Amino acid sequence: MDMSEHMSPQELRRKWKLANAEPLEGGHRVEAYRALSGACPAFVPNLLSLSRTLLAGRQGDADDAVAQAEQALRDAADVSAGAPEPLLELGRFLSTVRASPVEAERAFASAAEGALSLLEEAWAGRIQALGAQGQLEAALEVEEQARGVFPNSKAITLAVASAHRHAAGR
């Protein structure tokens, strides 16, 4: 596959599932993940799986496996543009494998910030969707939960206002 051709999301997922099914013995799974990474270096689930598998099966040159696992994690964090999961896994790696608490804390802090932002958006979206369905009471229950974490959220305030508008028939 040349660089001008890209796999569809369905094809990526299919190939990743096939890689997941490869036996661990003999490095077959690692090689399948590497091949998929070569075809699509920005497919984060594969990079995370590659890293986990490299760390779990450190045979032969363990230092090389750790270095490759770290590179896969750093690539996943980079291409995911601040998504929490790759940063969380990088933080765990830095904390446990590299024993680098300062760098691990930075990764964990970025993961937490990204997760909180997603949570706020998810709650605001849920409130708005419940309001659009005429479920004001349910929307207000979600608001109560959300306000425990985000007491001054403008996004949640706007979503609640939208839910009230829908309830009023606007």
Side-chain angles (χ1 to χ4, degrees), residues 4 17 25 38 42-43 67-68 86 113 116 122 132 134 143 150 153 162 166 170:
S4 65
K17 285 183 177 184
E25 302 79 30
F43 186 47
Q68 289 178 42
E113 186 177 311
L116 281 172
E143 176 198 17
F150 304 105
S153 170
S162 173
H166 278 97
R170 289 188 194 175

Side-chain angles (χ1 to χ4, degrees), residues 64-143:
D64 187 49
V66 168
Q68 289 178 42
E70 181 173 4
Q71 188 58 55
L73 285 171
R74 290 188 183 281
D75 289 348
D78 185 42
V79 300
S80 68
E85 185 182 10
L87 289 166
L88 182 61
E89 290 216 26
L90 179 59
R92 285 185 189 130
F93 172 87
L94 293 167
S95 178
T96 59
V97 177
R98 290 289 188 216
S100 178
V102 171
E103 197 175 2
E105 189 277 329
R106 283 194 300 263
F108 286 133
S110 293
E113 186 177 311
L116 281 172
S117 178
L118 284 175
L119 181 60
E120 182 180 19
E121 287 181 43
W123 269 334
R126 185 169 181 215
I127 291 165
Q128 193 166 17
L130 286 167
Q133 296 173 63
Q135 298 179 35
L136 181 60
E137 189 173 315
L140 295 177
E141 287 174 16
V142 173
E143 176 198 17

Side-chain angles (χ1 to χ4, degrees), residues 12-22 36:
L12 270 173
R13 192 146 183 85
R14 186 185 71 74
K15 287 188 180 231
W16 181 58
K17 285 183 177 184
L18 288 172
N20 290 335
E22 286 288 333
L36 186 52

